[in-house]
């Protein structure tokens, strides 16, 4: 058995067998492009696989060394990759600037950081392992644009009416290009350094030759928009970097916007951080201790057992421990099944995170039924579960050498749980007003009763809803 065969044998043992076999087939026979910065959600959809099992399989494959996992900071405007790293520790700037969009963005983990997978060169070497050798337009496709931009297979044909010129420049090279400027807005952009120059072409056409020089450097400082007239332009381009650059001159009109506006779902950092398989496989080394990364929307679920101290007194340490351990096992299974992750346990309490409110409510409803079932099997109402849920913004942080969350959303979720009665799910307006949650509660005939309540340490009254 070869080393690669041994890796895939291990993957089939660790992950869903069907998904592992599909991954192995693509690695063996897929096109090079298909193995660079793989969009896991698109992979699952294209091969009719379960998304959660596919995510887990790719995570196991990354752990085994079949794939390299990359975390890419994206421009929410054009979908370009502004920065990339092997972990979230590489997201270190307060603001990321996009030269193509001439805008700066504060990074959030919801839609601005994607996680992709590229086959390791020891498993199979592909063209993208030597990006400076990729054809220019293929460099744009595979290296600049994110996996969430759904570029067509015939990109060269679609881009031709937009493109005025595409140039390759070796390190230190200088080139002169002559081209006709149309009466439109034109962008000179290099996907390697993200250097950009905007040209507003307007006025009467001129027969005189116009000249423009652009020096491409690593700093890629955005120049002010210049105004030129329609007609002949002599463009001088200089590469002052140590890499090949691939500047292109294109028309920034509806055709370009339509081409880049084709989007598809991708695996966000937020979704991965709330994935139980990720937390199990990559338990540490996710964030630096000083990092504070913003998530604009995350849902937290807290549980606790009422009267657990009395339970130990009543049934004895061994029986109580086994019962509580069974409760933890069931809760962990439910959280993972509803695309969530257990952040931590504190005594008999659980803190879990979910990407959306409806997944948290679905988990809570299943938890309540599971506790009733365990109590029936045990023959006593010993497992009295209190559940609280809240959704909002938060910070992803590193606490006690593990990935955790901080902020008022977490505090409110914890306080709401403290107000819950046994077998009652307590939520906030942010949760029950979510359209997916409303539909779920209506379909399942779950009743809600609201009231205003003061939450300790919050400083204001909050409307809470009891789901029964």
């Amino acid at each position: 058995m070869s080393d690669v065969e041994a890796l895939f044998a291990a993957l089939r043992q660790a992950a869903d067998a069907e998904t592992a076999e599909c991954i192995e087939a693509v690695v063996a026979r897929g096109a090079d492009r298909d193995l660079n910065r793989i969009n896991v959600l698109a992979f699952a959809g294209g091969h009719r696989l379960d998304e959660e099992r596919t995510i887990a399989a790719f995570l196991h494959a990354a752990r085994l060394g079949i794939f390299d996992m990359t975390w890419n900071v994206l421009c929410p405007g054009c979908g370009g990759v502004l920065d990339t790293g092997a972990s979230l520790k590489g997201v270190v700037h307060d603001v990321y600037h996009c030269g193509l969009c001439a805008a700066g963005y504060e990074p959030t983990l919801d839609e601005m950081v994607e996680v992709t997978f590229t086959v390791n060169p020891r498993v199979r070497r592909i063209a993208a392992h030597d990006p400076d050798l990729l054809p220019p337009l293929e460099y744009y496709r595979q290296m600049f644009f994110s996996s969430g931009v759904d570029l067509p297979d015939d990109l060269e044909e679609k881009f031709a009416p937009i493109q005025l010129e595409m140039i390759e420049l070796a390190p230190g090279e200088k080139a002169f290009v002559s081209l006709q400027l149309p009466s439109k807005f034109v962008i000179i952009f290099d996907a390697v350094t993200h250097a950009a120059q905007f040209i507003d072409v307007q006025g009467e056409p001129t027969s005189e030759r116009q000249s423009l020089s652009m020096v491409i450097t690593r700093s890629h400082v955005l120049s002010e928009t210049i105004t030129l007239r329609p007609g002949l332009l002599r463009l001088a381009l200089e590469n002052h970097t140590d890499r090949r650059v691939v500047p292109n001159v294109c028309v920034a009109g509806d055709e370009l916007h339509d081409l880049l506006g084709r989007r598809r779902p991708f695996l966000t950092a937020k979704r991965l951080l709330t994935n139980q398989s990720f937390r199990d496989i990559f338990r540490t080394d996710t964030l630096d201790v000083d990092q504070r990364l913003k998530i604009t929307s995350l849902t937290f679920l807290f549980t606790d057992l009422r009267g657990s101290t009395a339970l130990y007194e009543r049934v004895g340490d061994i029986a109580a421990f086994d019962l509580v351990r069974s409760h933890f096992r069931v809760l962990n299974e439910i959280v993972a099944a509803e695309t969530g992750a257990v952040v931590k346990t504190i005594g008999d309490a659980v803190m879990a995170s979910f990407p959306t409110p409806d997944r948290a409510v679905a988990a809570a409803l299943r938890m309540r039924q599971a506790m009733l079932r365990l109590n029936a099997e045990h023959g006593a109402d010993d497992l009295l579960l209190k559940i609280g849920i809240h959704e909002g913004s938060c910070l992803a942080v590193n606490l006690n050498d593990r990935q955790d969350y901080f902020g008022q959303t977490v505090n409110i979720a914890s306080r709401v749980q403290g107000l819950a009665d046994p077998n009652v799910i307590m939520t906030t307006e942010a949760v029950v007003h979510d359209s997916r949650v409303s539909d779920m509660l209506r379909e399942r005939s779950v009743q809600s009763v609201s009231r205003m309540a003061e939450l300790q340490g919050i400083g204001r009254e909050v409307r809470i809803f009891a789901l029964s």
Side-chain angles (χ1 to χ4, degrees), residues 76 129 280 417 438:
H129 290 144
D280 292 341
Q417 179 272 317
S438 299

Side-chain angles (χ1 to χ4, degrees), residues 37 63 96 198 422:
R37 289 188 178 171
R63 177 183 59 83
Y96 285 84
F198 297 152

Side-chain angles (χ1 to χ4, degrees), residues 60-349:
H60 282 291
R63 177 183 59 83
L64 291 167
I66 297 172
F67 292 108
D68 295 322
M69 186 163 55
T70 53
W71 303 68
N72 307 316
V73 181
L74 311 181
C75 170
C78 67
V81 175
L82 307 180
D83 201 3
T84 186
S87 75
L88 262 180
K89 292 181 179 180
V91 184
V92 295
H93 300 296
D94 294 333
V95 176
Y96 285 84
H97 294 275
C98 177
L100 185 57
C101 295
Y105 304 94
E106 178 188 1
T108 67
L109 302 186
D110 300 73
E111 297 294 336
M112 269 193 68
V113 181
E114 71 169 357
V115 185
T116 58
F117 297 81
T118 299
V119 67
N120 187 287
R122 294 187 299 272
V123 174
R124 174 177 159 181
R125 190 146 195 93
I126 59 174
H129 290 144
D130 299 302
D132 289 345
L133 299 181
L134 287 169
L137 201 56
E138 198 63 20
Y139 185 96
Y140 277 79
R141 177 198 290 275
Q142 293 198 41
M143 307 307 299
F144 178 72
F145 288 111
S146 77
S147 71
V149 180
D150 191 12
L151 295 173
D153 291 335
D154 59 344
L155 177 60
E156 188 169 343
E157 180 181 337
K158 290 288 196 302
F159 197 63
I162 304 168
Q163 180 179 296
L164 302 178
E165 192 64 68
M166 178 80 80
I167 309 105
E168 288 186 75
L169 290 176
E173 189 177 3
K174 183 175 182 177
F176 295 93
V177 179
S178 293
L179 52 89
Q180 284 287 332
L181 288 179
S183 184
K184 297 181 179 180
F185 198 85
V186 172
I187 298 177
I188 307 171
F189 179 74
D190 170 52
V192 178
T193 64
H194 301 181
Q197 175 65 64
F198 297 152
I199 307 172
D200 188 6
V201 185
Q202 56 177 271
E204 292 295 320
T206 179
S207 59
E208 297 180 1
R209 188 178 67 180
Q210 304 169 100
S211 297
L212 175 65
S213 295
M214 180 176 176
V215 176
I216 299 174
T217 67
R218 279 291 181 188
S219 61
H220 60 80
V221 176
L222 181 67
S223 303
E224 291 186 6
T225 300
I226 64 171
T227 302
L228 294 176
R229 292 166 65 184
L232 184 64
L233 172 68
R234 186 174 188 267
L235 176 62
L237 294 165
E238 294 185 57
N239 179 7
H240 285 196
T241 76
D242 58 357
R243 288 185 60 185
R244 177 197 71 160
V245 296
V246 285
N248 86 89
V249 186
C250 68
V251 176
D254 292 340
E255 289 177 295
L256 178 62
H257 295 148
D258 291 344
L259 189 63
L260 302 187
R262 294 158 50 105
R263 300 301 171 91
R264 60 183 179 177
F266 58 88
L267 181 59
T268 64
K270 165 189 164 178
R271 180 163 178 180
L272 199 56
L273 292 182
T274 58
N275 179 278
Q276 191 63 53
S277 295
F278 175 76
R279 294 188 71 98
D280 292 341
I281 298 170
F282 298 93
R283 189 173 298 275
T284 59
D285 200 39
T286 303
L287 293 165
D288 272 331
V289 67
D290 294 326
Q291 276 183 294
R292 309 285 187 268
L293 296 177
K294 185 177 180 180
I295 299 176
T296 58
S297 173
L298 198 62
T299 304
F300 293 97
L301 180 151
F302 281 82
T303 73
D304 198 10
L305 287 175
R306 194 182 82 167
S308 57
T309 302
L311 171 64
Y312 281 84
E313 286 287 339
R314 188 167 61 256
V315 304
D317 288 346
I318 294 177
F321 176 76
D322 288 342
L323 193 57
V324 171
R325 187 172 61 176
S326 296
H327 133 274
F328 275 131
R329 184 182 66 253
V330 169
L331 295 192
N332 285 338
E333 291 172 354
I334 292 173
V335 168
E338 295 296 342
T339 71
V342 173
V343 179
K344 59 187 173 184
T345 59
I346 310 166
D348 297 329

Side-chain angles (χ1 to χ4, degrees), residues 283-287 289 397-404:
R283 189 173 298 275
T284 59
D285 200 39
T286 303
L287 293 165
V289 67
V397 299
N398 185 323
L399 291 176
N400 301 320
D401 295 325
R402 65 182 172 190
Q403 191 253 313
D404 205 336

Side-chain angles (χ1 to χ4, degrees), residues 314-315 323 371-372 374-384:
R314 188 167 61 256
V315 304
L323 193 57
M371 292 307 103
L372 294 174
L374 281 177
N375 283 333
E377 294 171 357
H378 179 63
D381 291 334
D382 287 325
L383 296 175
L384 302 176

